[in-house]
Amino acid sequence: MSTGSIPPFAASATALGSAQKLIAQNKPAEAAAMLRKHLYANPRDRAARKRLATLGEFAHPNPALPPKEASIRKRVLQAGLKEDWQTVLASAEPLLKRQPLLGDVAVTLGKALVAVGRIADAIRVLNHALRVDPARPDAYLILSTLFHGQSNPTETLAAAKAAEDVAPDLPATQVALGMAHLDNDQVEAAIDHFRNATNIAPSDPIAWDAWCRALERLNRLDDLDDVLKNAEIACPNEPMIQLNRGIYLVRRKEYDGAIAALNSTDASSLSPGFQIVHAANLGRAFDETGVTDKAFAAFSKMNTVVTPLQGGASGADRFLKLVEDRLKGAEQIDPSVWDRNVSRNQDTPVVFMVGFPRSGTTLLETILLAHPKVSLAEEAPMMEKMQEGIRSDAEAQDLAALSDEEIAARAKTYFDGFQKHAGSIKPDQIAFDKMPLNLVNAAIIRRIFPDVRFIFSIRHPCDVVLSCFMQNFASNDAMDNFRDLTRAAKLYDRAMKLWQAYRDQLDLDVVEIRYEDMVQELQATATPVLDFVGLEWTDAMTDFHEFAARKPVIRTASYRQVSQKLYTSAAGRWRRYDRFFEDAMPYLTPWIERFGYDT
């Protein structure tokens, strides 16, 4: 802090005191303007934000508008209510450039940008809304949701708490707080907020749904049944609650009852996101009962429902192009020109766990987490800064051009992110990074960490692709390739070709582990992997499912499976669906043969 500056707590006290004097003088508009100015410079001042929110309509700026501007504002807000996002996008931004104090217009524009998948622009616009109008709970709530989607638990919680400052009695605020605390592994606090939401609005199905989904995610099925019974009383015949009953029955493996419950749910009345969940669970129930055609139809429906956050095929195309661009240039990479000294000074050894999604990486992760010398980051976004500025179509040149200082800076940024997501790494621990599709980032990883080791998980390619197709992944550029079985197979082929090219060109230090062997002979299969990374088998690893059950939150799509004992029913499942693989097999057959599976 520079000499003579005012400590934040003093500035807050001064602002609150000045506001109180103006309020006592019956000048609420002036008090609000002063507090908004203070919050513009001190956006984390919760006390000032709470005081501003008590000023009602005066809390928000209300600039005088010429008739034409007022008409445009009205049109934008009405279009937002109708979800006519193209009208909003066409009119809102020009209006905001002329009238930047219109917080309601900025929030509406933020919603439109989210709807078309422009998340970074939406965050920028919503932050502008809150700089000029910091008592808008809707902006904080949207930001909390967006930060949740970006796996940023700190900002998710900060935005939810800001919403609480200005609108604590909104059920949506309590739901956002519950989700944010869940992101931060604060389970009981999360449950309290979900309970608060249903107490505030007992007949609100959205509040009950949030609580139910959290309990299902936490594998607390007995608690889920109790909450569902109360929800069914509070919201009789509500499709959202009926959907949760079906999910519960799927989790209890009562598949006939689940099918009956889900078929009796009016899915057409649900929002697109819930229609996806409905189809996913119906597909899972049909799959478990061997009704293959209906299962495939349900999963196909799941993958054809497009939610507002999914921007069509463009994201999937973008990721596939990235992989193909890197594949074209892989042979140009020459590691002999790389300086191998800087990153060897890293004190913490790092191991990357890679493989195509649904290859068993989460199972291996859960087993490893039971080991006291393992520090593991679970599908955390640490690669963004690592690969910043590395062009996919010029990877060899850009990697070769990195200086020692740039390499050291990227390594530091990586470990800062790792410890943010996994906590401090103890001196005797090994850092494990589990993000399956990092196999397409292997060259960048190897450039930054020359001594890096990889654990490569293998599973029958058809089972992998089928499982990806059946999984309700959150939408992003990579996962959107899994909405079509043949497209998923094409990405599998390209990703494996790139991984093999990297292995050949860079002489990567790799140990392989096979999913089918792991579920048959856990210790015998895992021991060579432990030897490779310098660890020994511990008895705790045998009971990994009990360890997983004690974890506050499992963040991957495998949370249902890894808290169970080992099972072999998923191996070879694709054979029941082989008639759907006709167009996919040309991409997969070479890998089936290469990995030694029976064709």
Side-chain angles (χ1 to χ4, degrees), residues 405-448:
E405 292 75 16
E406 288 174 314
I407 291 172
R410 289 173 191 246
K412 181 182 184 303
T413 298
Y414 173 84
F415 276 110
D416 288 346
F418 186 102
Q419 296 193 67
K420 176 182 175 182
H421 289 282
S424 298
I425 306 170
K426 297 176 183 177
D428 63 341
Q429 285 186 320
I430 298 172
F432 285 79
D433 182 319
K434 180 250 174 174
M435 178 72 86
L437 277 176
N438 267 339
L439 86 172
V440 305
N441 298 320
I444 297 166
I445 293 167
R446 164 72 167 70
R447 179 65 168 119
I448 307 302

Side-chain angles (χ1 to χ4, degrees), residues 130-144:
L130 292 170
R131 282 194 296 272
V132 300
D133 192 357
R136 297 202 64 88
D138 45 0
Y140 293 116
L141 291 170
I142 299 168
L143 280 173
S144 186

